Amino acid sequence: MSFVDGFLELHEIDQLLLQATDEPHAERWASLGLKVESAAALVRDRDKLAATLDRRWLGLYERSLGRYGRGLSLVRQRVCLGCRLTLPTSAAPPPGVTALHLCVGCGRLLIWE
Ligand SMILES: [Zn+2]
C-alpha cells in the first residue's frame, strides 16, 4: 500500500464512521436489509491502519478532520476542492509521482487527480 493510498483508506473509514454513528443513516440501510459495519469494528480497523501511517502526516490529517470533518481534499485543475483555492503550479507533484502535500488555504492533505 502506498503512502497516499493509506490516507485514502483512512479517509474512507472516517467517512464510514460518520455514517455508522449517524442513526437515521444506519436505520435506512437496515430497512433495506443491508448490514453496516459497526462503529466499534471500524474503529478497530482505523486504529490498525493509523499505526502504519506516518505520524507527522497523520497529525496533520487529524487536525483537518477535526476542523472540517474531512482530512483530505481532491485537487482538480490546480483548485483545492475543499476550499476552492487555486494552487501555484509549483505545488503540483511531477507527473507520475504521488506525493502528499498540504493545501496552503485549508490545511487538508491534497490528492491530485
Ligand atoms: Zn484547500
Side-chain angles (χ1 to χ4, degrees):
M1 186 164 60
S2 84
F3 193 58
V4 172
D5 287 348
F7 281 95
L8 275 173
E9 189 175 339
L10 188 68
H11 171 71
E12 295 301 336
I13 291 175
D14 283 333
Q15 295 307 303
L16 285 171
L17 259 175
L18 284 177
Q19 294 173 7
T21 50
D22 176 50
E23 276 303 316
H25 182 94
E27 279 168 23
R28 194 163 59 241
W29 285 107
S31 72
L32 294 169
L34 298 170
K35 190 184 169 305
V36 183
E37 199 174 356
S38 74
L42 285 168
V43 169
R44 272 198 306 278
D45 287 352
R46 189 189 197 282
D47 288 347
K48 214 184 294 172
L49 176 62
T52 68
L53 297 172
D54 180 84
R55 298 195 74 79
R56 192 176 74 89
W57 283 105
L58 183 63
L60 295 166
Y61 172 93
E62 302 274 13
R63 196 181 61 182
S64 294
L65 181 69
R67 194 177 292 169
Y68 306 110
R70 298 174 81 87
L72 50 84
S73 172
L74 277 178
V75 179
R76 189 169 295 149
Q77 291 168 341
R78 289 203 289 124
V79 175
C80 168
L81 297 185
C83 69
R84 299 284 162 172
L85 184 82
T86 301
L87 300 156
T89 320
S90 61
V97 174
T98 51
L100 283 174
H101 296 272
L102 281 189
C103 177
V104 292
C106 63
R108 291 181 179 92
L109 274 59
L110 296 173
I111 306 290
W112 294 74
E113 284 202 321

CSV table of all heavy atoms in Angstrom, one decimal, residues 40-103:
chain,number,residue,atom,x,y,z
A,40,ALA,N,-17.7,0.1,16.3
A,40,ALA,CA,-16.6,-0.5,17.0
A,40,ALA,C,-15.6,-1.2,16.1
A,40,ALA,O,-14.4,-1.1,16.2
A,40,ALA,CB,-17.1,-1.4,18.1
A,41,ALA,N,-16.1,-1.9,15.1
A,41,ALA,CA,-15.3,-2.7,14.1
A,41,ALA,C,-14.5,-1.7,13.3
A,41,ALA,O,-13.3,-1.9,13.0
A,41,ALA,CB,-16.1,-3.6,13.3
A,42,LEU,N,-15.2,-0.6,12.9
A,42,LEU,CA,-14.5,0.4,12.1
A,42,LEU,C,-13.4,1.1,12.9
A,42,LEU,O,-12.3,1.4,12.3
A,42,LEU,CB,-15.5,1.5,11.7
A,42,LEU,CG,-16.5,1.1,10.5
A,42,LEU,CD1,-17.6,2.1,10.4
A,42,LEU,CD2,-15.7,0.9,9.2
A,43,VAL,N,-13.6,1.4,14.1
A,43,VAL,CA,-12.6,2.0,15.0
A,43,VAL,C,-11.4,1.1,15.1
A,43,VAL,O,-10.2,1.5,15.0
A,43,VAL,CB,-13.1,2.4,16.4
A,43,VAL,CG1,-12.0,2.8,17.3
A,43,VAL,CG2,-14.2,3.5,16.2
A,44,ARG,N,-11.6,-0.3,15.2
A,44,ARG,CA,-10.5,-1.2,15.3
A,44,ARG,C,-9.7,-1.2,14.0
A,44,ARG,O,-8.5,-1.1,14.0
A,44,ARG,CB,-11.1,-2.6,15.5
A,44,ARG,CG,-11.2,-3.0,17.0
A,44,ARG,CD,-11.3,-4.5,17.1
A,44,ARG,NE,-12.4,-5.1,16.3
A,44,ARG,CZ,-13.7,-5.2,16.7
A,44,ARG,NH1,-14.1,-4.6,17.8
A,44,ARG,NH2,-14.6,-5.8,15.9
A,45,ASP,N,-10.4,-1.2,12.8
A,45,ASP,CA,-9.7,-1.1,11.5
A,45,ASP,C,-8.9,0.2,11.4
A,45,ASP,O,-7.8,0.2,10.9
A,45,ASP,CB,-10.7,-1.1,10.4
A,45,ASP,CG,-11.4,-2.5,10.2
A,45,ASP,OD1,-10.9,-3.5,10.8
A,45,ASP,OD2,-12.3,-2.6,9.4
A,46,ARG,N,-9.5,1.2,11.9
A,46,ARG,CA,-8.9,2.6,11.8
A,46,ARG,C,-7.6,2.6,12.6
A,46,ARG,O,-6.6,3.1,12.2
A,46,ARG,CB,-9.8,3.6,12.3
A,46,ARG,CG,-9.4,5.0,12.0
A,46,ARG,CD,-10.2,6.1,12.7
A,46,ARG,NE,-9.9,7.4,12.2
A,46,ARG,CZ,-8.9,8.1,12.4
A,46,ARG,NH1,-8.0,7.7,13.3
A,46,ARG,NH2,-8.7,9.3,11.8
A,47,ASP,N,-7.7,2.1,13.9
A,47,ASP,CA,-6.5,2.1,14.7
A,47,ASP,C,-5.4,1.3,14.1
A,47,ASP,O,-4.2,1.6,14.2
A,47,ASP,CB,-6.9,1.5,16.1
A,47,ASP,CG,-7.7,2.4,16.9
A,47,ASP,OD1,-7.8,3.6,16.5
A,47,ASP,OD2,-8.3,2.0,17.9
A,48,LYS,N,-5.7,0.1,13.5
A,48,LYS,CA,-4.7,-0.8,12.9
A,48,LYS,C,-4.1,0.0,11.7
A,48,LYS,O,-2.8,-0.1,11.6
A,48,LYS,CB,-5.4,-2.0,12.4
A,48,LYS,CG,-4.6,-3.3,12.5
A,48,LYS,CD,-5.3,-4.5,11.9
A,48,LYS,CE,-6.5,-4.9,12.7
A,48,LYS,NZ,-7.3,-6.0,12.0
A,49,LEU,N,-4.9,0.6,10.9
A,49,LEU,CA,-4.3,1.3,9.8
A,49,LEU,C,-3.5,2.5,10.2
A,49,LEU,O,-2.4,2.8,9.7
A,49,LEU,CB,-5.5,1.8,8.9
A,49,LEU,CG,-5.1,2.7,7.6
A,49,LEU,CD1,-4.2,1.9,6.7
A,49,LEU,CD2,-6.4,3.1,6.9
A,50,ALA,N,-4.0,3.3,11.2
A,50,ALA,CA,-3.3,4.5,11.6
A,50,ALA,C,-1.9,4.2,12.2
A,50,ALA,O,-1.0,5.0,12.0
A,50,ALA,CB,-4.2,5.2,12.7
A,51,ALA,N,-1.8,3.0,12.8
A,51,ALA,CA,-0.5,2.6,13.3
A,51,ALA,C,0.6,2.5,12.3
A,51,ALA,O,1.8,2.5,12.5
A,51,ALA,CB,-0.6,1.4,14.1
A,52,THR,N,0.1,2.2,11.0
A,52,THR,CA,1.1,2.0,9.9
A,52,THR,C,1.4,3.3,9.2
A,52,THR,O,2.3,3.3,8.3
A,52,THR,CB,0.5,1.0,8.9
A,52,THR,OG1,-0.6,1.7,8.2
A,52,THR,CG2,0.0,-0.3,9.5
A,53,LEU,N,0.7,4.4,9.5
A,53,LEU,CA,0.9,5.7,8.8
A,53,LEU,C,1.9,6.6,9.4
A,53,LEU,O,2.2,6.5,10.6
A,53,LEU,CB,-0.4,6.4,8.6
A,53,LEU,CG,-1.5,5.6,7.9
A,53,LEU,CD1,-2.9,6.3,8.0
A,53,LEU,CD2,-1.2,5.4,6.4
A,54,ASP,N,2.5,7.4,8.6
A,54,ASP,CA,3.5,8.4,9.1
A,54,ASP,C,2.8,9.3,10.1
A,54,ASP,O,1.8,9.9,9.9
A,54,ASP,CB,3.9,9.2,7.8
A,54,ASP,CG,5.0,10.3,8.2
A,54,ASP,OD1,6.2,9.9,8.3
A,54,ASP,OD2,4.6,11.4,8.5
A,55,ARG,N,3.5,9.4,11.2
A,55,ARG,CA,2.9,10.1,12.4
A,55,ARG,C,2.7,11.6,12.1
A,55,ARG,O,1.7,12.2,12.6
A,55,ARG,CB,3.8,10.0,13.7
A,55,ARG,CG,3.9,8.5,14.1
A,55,ARG,CD,4.4,8.4,15.5
A,55,ARG,NE,3.4,8.8,16.5
A,55,ARG,CZ,2.4,8.0,16.9
A,55,ARG,NH1,2.3,6.8,16.3
A,55,ARG,NH2,1.5,8.4,17.8
A,56,ARG,N,3.6,12.2,11.4
A,56,ARG,CA,3.5,13.7,11.2
A,56,ARG,C,2.3,14.0,10.3
A,56,ARG,O,1.5,14.8,10.5
A,56,ARG,CB,4.8,14.2,10.6
A,56,ARG,CG,4.9,15.7,10.5
A,56,ARG,CD,6.2,16.2,10.0
A,56,ARG,NE,6.3,16.0,8.5
A,56,ARG,CZ,5.9,16.9,7.6
A,56,ARG,NH1,5.4,18.1,8.1
A,56,ARG,NH2,6.0,16.7,6.4
A,57,TRP,N,2.2,13.2,9.2
A,57,TRP,CA,1.1,13.4,8.3
A,57,TRP,C,-0.2,13.0,8.9
A,57,TRP,O,-1.2,13.6,8.7
A,57,TRP,CB,1.3,12.5,7.0
A,57,TRP,CG,2.3,13.2,6.1
A,57,TRP,CD1,3.6,12.8,5.9
A,57,TRP,CD2,2.1,14.3,5.2
A,57,TRP,NE1,4.2,13.6,5.0
A,57,TRP,CE2,3.3,14.6,4.6
A,57,TRP,CE3,1.0,15.1,5.0
A,57,TRP,CZ2,3.5,15.6,3.7
A,57,TRP,CZ3,1.2,16.2,4.1
A,57,TRP,CH2,2.4,16.4,3.5
A,58,LEU,N,-0.2,12.0,9.7
A,58,LEU,CA,-1.4,11.6,10.4
A,58,LEU,C,-1.9,12.7,11.3
A,58,LEU,O,-3.1,13.0,11.4
A,58,LEU,CB,-1.1,10.3,11.3
A,58,LEU,CG,-2.3,9.7,12.0
A,58,LEU,CD1,-3.4,9.3,11.0
A,58,LEU,CD2,-1.9,8.5,12.9
A,59,GLY,N,-0.9,13.4,12.0
A,59,GLY,CA,-1.3,14.5,12.9
A,59,GLY,C,-2.0,15.6,12.1
A,59,GLY,O,-3.0,16.2,12.5
A,60,LEU,N,-1.4,15.9,10.9
A,60,LEU,CA,-2.0,17.0,10.0
A,60,LEU,C,-3.4,16.6,9.5
A,60,LEU,O,-4.3,17.4,9.5
A,60,LEU,CB,-1.0,17.2,8.9
A,60,LEU,CG,0.3,17.8,9.3
A,60,LEU,CD1,1.3,17.7,8.1
A,60,LEU,CD2,0.2,19.3,9.7
A,61,TYR,N,-3.5,15.3,9.2
A,61,TYR,CA,-4.8,14.8,8.7
A,61,TYR,C,-5.8,14.9,9.8
A,61,TYR,O,-6.9,15.4,9.6
A,61,TYR,CB,-4.6,13.3,8.3
A,61,TYR,CG,-5.9,12.6,8.0
A,61,TYR,CD1,-6.4,12.6,6.7
A,61,TYR,CD2,-6.6,12.0,9.0
A,61,TYR,CE1,-7.6,11.9,6.4
A,61,TYR,CE2,-7.8,11.4,8.7
A,61,TYR,CZ,-8.3,11.3,7.4
A,61,TYR,OH,-9.5,10.7,7.1
A,62,GLU,N,-5.4,14.5,11.0
A,62,GLU,CA,-6.4,14.5,12.1
A,62,GLU,C,-6.8,15.9,12.5
A,62,GLU,O,-8.0,16.2,12.8
A,62,GLU,CB,-5.7,13.9,13.4
A,62,GLU,CG,-5.2,12.5,13.3
A,62,GLU,CD,-6.3,11.5,13.6
A,62,GLU,OE1,-7.5,11.8,13.6
A,62,GLU,OE2,-5.9,10.3,13.7
A,63,ARG,N,-5.9,16.9,12.3
A,63,ARG,CA,-6.2,18.3,12.6
A,63,ARG,C,-7.3,18.8,11.6
A,63,ARG,O,-8.3,19.4,12.0
A,63,ARG,CB,-5.0,19.1,12.5
A,63,ARG,CG,-5.1,20.5,13.1
A,63,ARG,CD,-3.8,21.3,12.9
A,63,ARG,NE,-3.5,21.5,11.5
A,63,ARG,CZ,-2.5,22.2,11.0
A,63,ARG,NH1,-1.6,22.6,11.9
A,63,ARG,NH2,-2.3,22.3,9.8
A,64,SER,N,-7.1,18.5,10.3
A,64,SER,CA,-8.2,18.9,9.4
A,64,SER,C,-9.5,18.1,9.5
A,64,SER,O,-10.5,18.7,9.4
A,64,SER,CB,-7.7,18.7,7.9
A,64,SER,OG,-6.6,19.5,7.7
A,65,LEU,N,-9.3,16.9,9.9
A,65,LEU,CA,-10.6,16.1,10.2
A,65,LEU,C,-11.4,16.7,11.3
A,65,LEU,O,-12.6,16.8,11.2
A,65,LEU,CB,-10.2,14.6,10.5
A,65,LEU,CG,-11.3,13.7,10.8
A,65,LEU,CD1,-12.1,13.4,9.5
A,65,LEU,CD2,-10.8,12.4,11.4
A,66,GLY,N,-10.7,17.1,12.3
A,66,GLY,CA,-11.4,17.7,13.5
A,66,GLY,C,-12.0,19.1,13.1
A,66,GLY,O,-13.1,19.4,13.6
A,67,ARG,N,-11.3,19.8,12.2
A,67,ARG,CA,-11.7,21.1,11.9
A,67,ARG,C,-12.9,21.1,10.8
A,67,ARG,O,-13.8,21.9,10.9
A,67,ARG,CB,-10.5,21.9,11.3
A,67,ARG,CG,-10.8,23.4,11.3
A,67,ARG,CD,-9.5,24.1,10.8
A,67,ARG,NE,-8.4,24.1,11.7
A,67,ARG,CZ,-7.2,24.4,11.5
A,67,ARG,NH1,-6.8,24.9,10.3
A,67,ARG,NH2,-6.2,24.4,12.4
A,68,TYR,N,-12.8,20.2,9.8
A,68,TYR,CA,-13.7,20.3,8.7
A,68,TYR,C,-14.5,19.0,8.6
A,68,TYR,O,-15.4,19.0,7.7
A,68,TYR,CB,-13.0,20.5,7.4
A,68,TYR,CG,-12.0,21.7,7.3
A,68,TYR,CD1,-10.7,21.5,7.3
A,68,TYR,CD2,-12.6,23.0,7.3
A,68,TYR,CE1,-9.8,22.6,7.3
A,68,TYR,CE2,-11.7,24.0,7.3
A,68,TYR,CZ,-10.3,23.8,7.2
A,68,TYR,OH,-9.5,24.9,7.2
A,69,GLY,N,-14.2,18.0,9.3
A,69,GLY,CA,-14.9,16.7,9.1
A,69,GLY,C,-14.3,15.9,8.0
A,69,GLY,O,-14.8,14.8,7.7
A,70,ARG,N,-13.3,16.4,7.3
A,70,ARG,CA,-12.6,15.7,6.3
A,70,ARG,C,-11.1,16.0,6.4
A,70,ARG,O,-10.8,17.2,6.5
A,70,ARG,CB,-13.1,16.1,4.9
A,70,ARG,CG,-14.5,15.8,4.6
A,70,ARG,CD,-14.9,16.4,3.2
A,70,ARG,NE,-14.4,15.6,2.1
A,70,ARG,CZ,-15.2,14.6,1.6
A,70,ARG,NH1,-16.4,14.4,2.1
A,70,ARG,NH2,-14.8,13.9,0.6
A,71,GLY,N,-10.3,15.0,6.3
A,71,GLY,CA,-8.9,15.2,6.4
A,71,GLY,C,-8.1,15.4,5.1
A,71,GLY,O,-7.0,15.9,5.1
A,72,LEU,N,-8.8,15.1,4.0
A,72,LEU,CA,-8.1,15.4,2.8
A,72,LEU,C,-9.1,15.9,1.7
A,72,LEU,O,-10.3,15.9,1.9
A,72,LEU,CB,-7.4,14.1,2.3
A,72,LEU,CG,-8.2,12.8,2.2
A,72,LEU,CD1,-9.0,12.7,0.9
A,72,LEU,CD2,-7.2,11.6,2.3
A,73,SER,N,-8.5,16.4,0.7
A,73,SER,CA,-9.2,17.1,-0.4
A,73,SER,C,-8.7,16.7,-1.7
A,73,SER,O,-7.5,16.6,-1.9
A,73,SER,CB,-9.2,18.6,-0.1
A,73,SER,OG,-9.7,19.3,-1.2
A,74,LEU,N,-9.5,16.7,-2.7
A,74,LEU,CA,-9.1,16.4,-4.1
A,74,LEU,C,-8.7,17.8,-4.7
A,74,LEU,O,-9.2,18.8,-4.4
A,74,LEU,CB,-10.2,15.9,-4.9
A,74,LEU,CG,-10.5,14.4,-4.9
A,74,LEU,CD1,-11.7,14.1,-5.8
A,74,LEU,CD2,-9.3,13.6,-5.4
A,75,VAL,N,-7.7,17.7,-5.6
A,75,VAL,CA,-7.3,18.8,-6.4
A,75,VAL,C,-7.7,18.6,-7.9
A,75,VAL,O,-7.3,17.5,-8.4
A,75,VAL,CB,-5.8,19.1,-6.3
A,75,VAL,CG1,-5.4,20.3,-7.2
A,75,VAL,CG2,-5.4,19.3,-4.9
A,76,ARG,N,-8.4,19.5,-8.4
A,76,ARG,CA,-8.8,19.4,-9.9
A,76,ARG,C,-8.4,20.6,-10.6
A,76,ARG,O,-8.8,21.7,-10.2
A,76,ARG,CB,-10.3,19.1,-10.0
A,76,ARG,CG,-10.7,18.8,-11.4
A,76,ARG,CD,-12.1,18.3,-11.5
A,76,ARG,NE,-12.3,17.0,-10.7
A,76,ARG,CZ,-13.4,16.7,-10.1
A,76,ARG,NH1,-14.4,17.5,-10.1
A,76,ARG,NH2,-13.5,15.5,-9.4
A,77,GLN,N,-7.6,20.5,-11.6
A,77,GLN,CA,-7.0,21.7,-12.4
A,77,GLN,C,-6.5,22.7,-11.4
A,77,GLN,O,-6.8,23.9,-11.5
A,77,GLN,CB,-8.1,22.2,-13.3
A,77,GLN,CG,-8.4,21.3,-14.4
A,77,GLN,CD,-9.7,21.6,-15.2
A,77,GLN,OE1,-10.5,22.4,-14.7
A,77,GLN,NE2,-9.8,21.1,-16.4
A,78,ARG,N,-5.7,22.2,-10.5
A,78,ARG,CA,-4.9,23.1,-9.5
A,78,ARG,C,-5.8,23.8,-8.5
A,78,ARG,O,-5.4,24.6,-7.7
A,78,ARG,CB,-4.1,24.1,-10.2
A,78,ARG,CG,-2.9,23.5,-11.0
A,78,ARG,CD,-1.8,24.6,-11.1
A,78,ARG,NE,-2.1,25.6,-12.1
A,78,ARG,CZ,-2.1,26.9,-11.9
A,78,ARG,NH1,-1.8,27.3,-10.7
A,78,ARG,NH2,-2.5,27.7,-12.8
A,79,VAL,N,-7.1,23.4,-8.5
A,79,VAL,CA,-8.0,24.0,-7.5
A,79,VAL,C,-8.3,23.0,-6.4
A,79,VAL,O,-8.7,21.9,-6.7
A,79,VAL,CB,-9.4,24.5,-8.1
A,79,VAL,CG1,-10.3,25.0,-7.0
A,79,VAL,CG2,-9.1,25.6,-9.2
A,80,CYS,N,-8.0,23.4,-5.1
A,80,CYS,CA,-8.4,22.5,-4.0
A,80,CYS,C,-9.9,22.5,-3.9
A,80,CYS,O,-10.5,23.6,-3.7
A,80,CYS,CB,-7.7,23.1,-2.7
A,80,CYS,SG,-8.4,22.3,-1.2
A,81,LEU,N,-10.5,21.3,-4.0
A,81,LEU,CA,-12.0,21.3,-3.9
A,81,LEU,C,-12.5,21.5,-2.5
A,81,LEU,O,-13.7,21.6,-2.3
A,81,LEU,CB,-12.4,19.9,-4.5
A,81,LEU,CG,-12.1,19.7,-6.0
A,81,LEU,CD1,-12.8,18.4,-6.5
A,81,LEU,CD2,-12.5,20.9,-6.9
A,82,GLY,N,-11.6,21.5,-1.5
A,82,GLY,CA,-12.0,21.7,-0.2
A,82,GLY,C,-12.3,23.2,0.1
A,82,GLY,O,-13.2,23.5,0.8
A,83,CYS,N,-11.4,24.0,-0.4
A,83,CYS,CA,-11.5,25.4,-0.1
A,83,CYS,C,-11.5,26.3,-1.3
A,83,CYS,O,-11.7,27.6,-1.2
A,83,CYS,CB,-10.4,25.9,0.8
A,83,CYS,SG,-8.8,25.9,0.1
A,84,ARG,N,-11.4,25.7,-2.5
A,84,ARG,CA,-11.5,26.4,-3.8
A,84,ARG,C,-10.3,27.4,-4.1
A,84,ARG,O,-10.4,28.3,-4.9
A,84,ARG,CB,-12.8,27.2,-3.9
A,84,ARG,CG,-14.0,26.3,-3.9
A,84,ARG,CD,-14.3,25.6,-5.2
A,84,ARG,NE,-15.1,24.4,-5.0
A,84,ARG,CZ,-15.6,23.7,-6.0
A,84,ARG,NH1,-15.3,24.0,-7.2
A,84,ARG,NH2,-16.4,22.6,-5.8
A,85,LEU,N,-9.3,27.1,-3.4
A,85,LEU,CA,-8.1,27.9,-3.6
A,85,LEU,C,-7.4,27.4,-4.9
A,85,LEU,O,-7.2,26.2,-5.0
A,85,LEU,CB,-7.1,27.8,-2.4
A,85,LEU,CG,-5.8,28.7,-2.5
A,85,LEU,CD1,-6.2,30.1,-2.1
A,85,LEU,CD2,-4.8,28.1,-1.6
A,86,THR,N,-6.9,28.3,-5.8
A,86,THR,CA,-6.1,27.8,-6.9
A,86,THR,C,-4.7,27.8,-6.4
A,86,THR,O,-4.1,28.7,-5.9
A,86,THR,CB,-6.2,28.8,-8.1
A,86,THR,OG1,-7.6,28.9,-8.5
A,86,THR,CG2,-5.4,28.3,-9.3
A,87,LEU,N,-4.1,26.6,-6.6
A,87,LEU,CA,-2.7,26.4,-6.1
A,87,LEU,C,-1.7,26.7,-7.1
A,87,LEU,O,-1.9,26.7,-8.3
A,87,LEU,CB,-2.6,24.9,-5.7
A,87,LEU,CG,-3.6,24.4,-4.6
A,87,LEU,CD1,-3.9,23.0,-4.7
A,87,LEU,CD2,-3.2,24.8,-3.2
A,88,PRO,N,-0.5,27.2,-6.6
A,88,PRO,CA,0.5,27.5,-7.6
A,88,PRO,C,1.0,26.3,-8.4
A,88,PRO,O,0.9,25.2,-7.9
A,88,PRO,CB,1.7,28.1,-6.7
A,88,PRO,CG,1.4,27.5,-5.3
A,88,PRO,CD,-0.1,27.4,-5.2
A,89,THR,N,1.4,26.6,-9.6
A,89,THR,CA,1.9,25.5,-10.5
A,89,THR,C,3.0,24.7,-9.8
A,89,THR,O,3.0,23.5,-9.9
A,89,THR,CB,2.5,26.1,-11.8
A,89,THR,OG1,1.7,27.1,-12.2
A,89,THR,CG2,2.5,25.0,-12.9
A,90,SER,N,3.8,25.4,-9.0
A,90,SER,CA,4.9,24.7,-8.3
A,90,SER,C,4.4,23.7,-7.3
A,90,SER,O,5.2,22.9,-6.8
A,90,SER,CB,5.8,25.8,-7.7
A,90,SER,OG,5.1,26.5,-6.7
A,91,ALA,N,3.2,23.8,-6.9
A,91,ALA,CA,2.7,22.9,-5.8
A,91,ALA,C,2.3,21.6,-6.4
A,91,ALA,O,2.2,20.6,-5.6
A,91,ALA,CB,1.4,23.6,-5.2
A,92,ALA,N,2.2,21.5,-7.7
A,92,ALA,CA,1.8,20.2,-8.3
A,92,ALA,C,3.0,19.2,-8.3
A,92,ALA,O,4.1,19.6,-8.6
A,92,ALA,CB,1.3,20.4,-9.7
A,93,PRO,N,2.7,17.9,-7.9
A,93,PRO,CA,3.8,17.0,-8.0
A,93,PRO,C,4.1,16.7,-9.4
A,93,PRO,O,3.2,16.8,-10.3
A,93,PRO,CB,3.2,15.7,-7.3
A,93,PRO,CG,1.7,15.9,-7.3
A,93,PRO,CD,1.4,17.4,-7.4
A,94,PRO,N,5.3,16.3,-9.7
A,94,PRO,CA,5.7,16.0,-11.1
A,94,PRO,C,4.8,14.8,-11.6
A,94,PRO,O,4.4,14.0,-10.8
A,94,PRO,CB,7.1,15.5,-11.0
A,94,PRO,CG,7.6,15.9,-9.7
A,94,PRO,CD,6.4,16.1,-8.8
A,95,PRO,N,4.5,14.8,-12.9
A,95,PRO,CA,3.7,13.7,-13.5
A,95,PRO,C,4.2,12.3,-13.1
A,95,PRO,O,5.4,12.1,-13.1
A,95,PRO,CB,3.8,13.9,-15.0
A,95,PRO,CG,4.3,15.3,-15.2
A,95,PRO,CD,5.0,15.7,-14.0
A,96,GLY,N,3.4,11.5,-12.7
A,96,GLY,CA,3.8,10.1,-12.4
A,96,GLY,C,4.2,9.9,-10.9
A,96,GLY,O,4.4,8.9,-10.4
A,97,VAL,N,4.3,11.1,-10.2
A,97,VAL,CA,4.7,11.0,-8.8
A,97,VAL,C,3.5,11.2,-7.9
A,97,VAL,O,2.8,12.1,-8.1
A,97,VAL,CB,5.8,12.1,-8.5
A,97,VAL,CG1,6.1,12.1,-7.0
A,97,VAL,CG2,7.1,11.8,-9.3
A,98,THR,N,3.3,10.3,-7.0
A,98,THR,CA,2.3,10.5,-6.0
A,98,THR,C,3.0,10.9,-4.7
A,98,THR,O,3.8,10.2,-4.2
A,98,THR,CB,1.4,9.3,-5.7
A,98,THR,OG1,2.3,8.2,-5.5
A,98,THR,CG2,0.5,8.9,-6.9
A,99,ALA,N,2.6,12.1,-4.3
A,99,ALA,CA,3.2,12.6,-3.0
A,99,ALA,C,2.1,13.4,-2.3
A,99,ALA,O,1.2,13.9,-2.9
A,99,ALA,CB,4.4,13.5,-3.3
A,100,LEU,N,2.2,13.4,-1.0
A,100,LEU,CA,1.3,14.2,-0.2
A,100,LEU,C,1.7,15.7,-0.1
A,100,LEU,O,2.9,15.9,0.0
A,100,LEU,CB,1.1,13.6,1.2
A,100,LEU,CG,0.2,12.4,1.2
A,100,LEU,CD1,0.3,11.8,2.6
A,100,LEU,CD2,-1.2,12.6,0.8
A,101,HIS,N,0.8,16.6,-0.2
A,101,HIS,CA,1.0,18.0,0.1
A,101,HIS,C,-0.1,18.5,0.9
A,101,HIS,O,-1.2,17.9,1.0
A,101,HIS,CB,1.0,18.8,-1.2
A,101,HIS,CG,2.1,18.4,-2.2
A,101,HIS,ND1,3.4,19.0,-2.2
A,101,HIS,CD2,2.2,17.5,-3.2
A,101,HIS,CE1,4.1,18.4,-3.1
A,101,HIS,NE2,3.4,17.5,-3.7
A,102,LEU,N,0.2,19.6,1.6
A,102,LEU,CA,-0.9,20.3,2.3
A,102,LEU,C,-1.4,21.4,1.5
A,102,LEU,O,-0.6,22.1,0.9
A,102,LEU,CB,-0.3,20.8,3.6
A,102,LEU,CG,-0.1,19.9,4.8
A,102,LEU,CD1,0.2,20.7,6.0
A,102,LEU,CD2,-1.4,19.0,5.0
A,103,CYS,N,-2.7,21.7,1.6
A,103,CYS,CA,-3.3,22.9,1.0
A,103,CYS,C,-2.9,24.1,1.9
A,103,CYS,O,-3.1,24.1,3.1
A,103,CYS,CB,-4.8,22.8,0.9
A,103,CYS,SG,-5.5,24.3,0.2
